[in-house]
Amino acid sequence: MAVKDSELPYLRRCVALAAEALESGDEPFGSVLVGADGSVLGEDHNRVASGDRTRHPEFELARWSAAHLTPEERAAATVYTSGEHCPMCAAAHAWVGLGRIVYVASSEQLAEWLGQLGVPAPPVRTLPVHEVAPGVVVEGPVPELVDEVRALHRRFHQR
Ligand SMILES: [Zn+2]
């Protein structure tokens, strides 16, 4: 299943949430959890500036879905996100049995951009979702929005 035009608003919301994170001094990542009927069930952005570096939006949404959705609802839900899940979030996504993932920018793209900006490598290896959670359907990158996400990361790391 490819990314449909009707899904772009969810991805634009992810980018807007990432921009909100940046405005509040956090790393620019945003994610939206959408049910099978297209309704938005939850959304969040990075909150690692608090000092807890596990506060990624995909991780928060996975734990929220485990507490509030049935296994069937989780399997039919989609997580849209500005950047591909990191290994921690990919594992949480798979452990709670969420469905498809659609990301704007891949982890590979992000690693390349951060390398160009001279940002030190993270403590966790950068892996594509399919290496961590091979059963999850993953779509991306979405070229229409990649430049916007890249610009947010450049703004975060250049100040
Ligand atoms: Zn993560």
Side-chain angles (χ1 to χ4, degrees), residues 23-147:
E23 293 310 319
S24 58
D26 220 310
E27 294 176 356
F29 293 96
S31 310
V32 176
L33 174 67
V34 175
D37 64 353
S39 59
V40 174
L41 301 174
E43 56 178 40
D44 203 6
H45 60 66
N46 245 45
R47 298 180 189 279
V48 303
S50 64
D52 179 352
R53 300 196 55 86
T54 68
R55 296 288 303 278
H56 296 183
E58 304 95 325
F59 195 43
E60 301 287 337
L61 291 175
R63 301 193 76 190
W64 181 90
S65 74
H68 296 95
L69 302 180
T70 65
E72 294 74 22
E73 287 169 334
R74 293 200 291 275
T78 299
V79 173
Y80 296 88
T81 188
S82 63
E84 184 177 5
H85 288 42
C86 75
M88 172 184 75
C89 296
H93 184 101
W95 278 122
V96 303
L98 279 166
R100 184 165 160 258
I101 289 173
V102 183
Y103 62 78
V104 175
S106 69
S107 296
E108 190 184 353
Q109 288 174 313
L110 179 66
E112 191 190 318
W113 302 337
L114 299 187
Q116 288 166 357
L117 291 167
V119 178
V124 175
R125 263 182 77 190
T126 301
L127 296 172
V129 168
H130 67 80
E131 295 235 355
V132 178
V136 177
V137 175
V138 185
E139 317 272 2
V142 176
E144 295 98 309
L145 296 170
V146 161
D147 286 346

